[in-house]
Amino acid sequence: MANQEPSDEYEPEKTDDDLLDTAEGESTPARRVAGWQRVLRWSAWLTFLALAIANSDRDYFGPLELLALAGAIGISVWCLAKPLGRPVVAMDEAADVQGTFVSRTNWGLVLFGVALTVGGIGAIGAIVYDLSTGRAAVRDVFADMWTFVAGWTSEALSGWSYDAHLERTHGYALFILVVPGVLIVWWNLVPLIKRGREFRVEPDGSISVRGPHGWIQLLEYEYSAVTADATTIRFTPASDPTPGIVLPQARVFSRETGTRLRSQVSAARFQERLARCGFTIEVIDDKRGSFRGRRTGSTFSLES
């Protein structure tokens, strides 16, 4: 009816503007940088680095190097602004830990550390060679180091607008690069050396470990002690026939979501599981996720 008043349940139809506002209000889930985006970003920066090294005889970047640098920066910004990988899945609590987990190595930092180490070793070799052949005295070596450090500092303080002509030095001061290079390589290769086995946390809280012939369930009652040192979680068998098991704890990632499993969260999940299996837990460093556990009884609960 024309003169009928709207009831309390009457809702006006949504206009196109209302639909647009609703769509804009819905938050889209954050995503990770896709694997192919990482490859593209690495390729861009390595291309720029190769061009810079190939034309290092010049005192300035040419048009090709500047174009490669602009492309690398643009690709990096685009990857951060519009990641096209899988949605980000939070794993901040022990209850969130489910799925398959494996240790991964940051090969980018490893290569960076290797480059620093090689540069430092090259500088040390130049120092030894020049001193042994008489091309330089000890005083000359220290003078060259001072010139390099002072010139580099002046360039940095001037916002790189001042040219100290560092290419005219012998670069003896670069020997110091060995220290951070070795530390970076060692820090990132520890998870590779102490990689441990891939493991899977089931929905009921039980843990399976990948073996040579597939997945096997981890039976906690077969182990007398468990030690976590923020790098690995080591299960010590209670008897000789049972093999020891080492699981990763540093740089552990979920295969399904790509989420990094922090050592503290991993420790909390294992502590809950071990406590239900009759282990007495001694927390050594809660921030690093290190603890010790000893089996004191046969009590076991299947409640997750």
Side-chain angles (χ1 to χ4, degrees):
M1 301 292 292
N3 58 353
Q4 183 178 359
E5 295 183 359
S7 62
D8 294 338
E9 298 179 356
Y10 172 77
E11 293 183 0
E13 295 182 358
K14 291 185 177 181
T15 63
D16 293 340
D17 293 338
D18 295 332
L19 295 176
L20 289 175
D21 293 339
T22 303
E24 292 176 357
E26 295 178 355
S27 58
T28 57
R31 291 185 174 273
R32 299 184 179 278
V33 178
W36 63 269
Q37 286 182 304
R38 291 193 180 95
V39 173
L40 182 63
R41 184 172 56 189
W42 270 102
S43 301
W45 281 107
L46 290 177
T47 300
F48 163 70
L49 182 61
L51 291 173
I53 294 175
N55 300 313
S56 59
D57 55 332
R58 294 200 302 255
D59 296 338
Y60 54 88
F61 286 150
L64 192 58
E65 292 93 325
L66 292 175
L67 180 62
L69 177 60
I73 295 175
I75 290 174
S76 300
V77 172
W78 172 72
C79 289
L80 293 176
K82 194 174 181 59
L84 301 176
R86 292 171 293 187
V88 176
V89 178
M91 200 169 289
D92 300 325
E93 303 293 338
D96 301 332
V97 181
Q98 288 188 17
T100 306
F101 298 91
V102 63
S103 177
R104 295 176 182 172
T105 303
N106 191 334
W107 291 109
L109 282 179
V110 171
L111 293 176
F112 178 67
V114 169
L116 293 180
T117 304
V118 171
I121 293 175
I124 293 175
I127 294 173
V128 173
Y129 178 79
D130 290 349
L131 289 177
S132 61
T133 58
R135 298 179 59 182
V138 176
R139 180 188 304 176
D140 299 329
V141 172
F142 282 103
D144 185 86
M145 290 181 181
W146 170 253
T147 302
F148 185 92
V149 173
W152 186 88
T153 304
S154 300
E155 288 186 355
L157 293 177
S158 65
W160 311 107
S161 60
Y162 170 72
D163 186 6
H165 299 288
L166 299 180
E167 69 278 359
R168 298 177 183 175
T169 66
H170 295 280
Y172 295 144
L174 296 179
F175 81 94
I176 195 64
L177 295 179
V178 169
V179 177
V182 171
L183 290 177
I184 291 174
V185 171
W186 173 252
W187 182 262
N188 287 277
L189 284 184
V190 165
L192 178 64
I193 298 173
K194 298 183 177 181
R195 193 175 187 86
R197 295 190 186 182
E198 183 177 354
F199 66 93
R200 183 172 63 200
V201 180
E202 307 293 349
D204 62 353
S206 62
I207 300 170
S208 300
V209 180
R210 182 182 289 276
H213 305 290
W215 292 97
I216 56 175
Q217 185 175 359
L218 177 64
L219 303 177
E220 289 83 355
Y221 63 83
E222 294 183 346
Y223 300 89
S224 60
V226 179
T227 304
D229 58 5
T231 302
T232 58
I233 301 176
R234 187 177 300 273
F235 287 76
T236 303
S239 58
D240 293 337
T242 304
I245 291 180
V246 179
L247 303 181
Q249 195 180 11
R251 288 195 56 80
V252 177
F253 292 83
S254 168
R255 279 197 180 276
E256 291 82 4
T257 64
T259 304
R260 181 169 182 173
L261 178 61
R262 295 183 293 116
S263 59
Q264 304 95 315
V265 180
S266 173
R269 190 69 172 100
F270 276 91
Q271 288 174 23
E272 290 181 1
R273 175 69 180 179
L274 294 172
R276 292 197 302 269
C277 296
F279 281 75
T280 300
I281 305 299
E282 177 189 357
V283 177
I284 301 174
D285 190 339
D286 190 38
K287 292 183 178 180
R288 297 181 66 245
S290 57
F291 67 90
R292 280 194 295 262
R294 290 193 174 276
R295 188 159 60 88
T296 57
S298 58
T299 304
F300 179 72
S301 173
L302 292 176
E303 297 179 2
S304 56

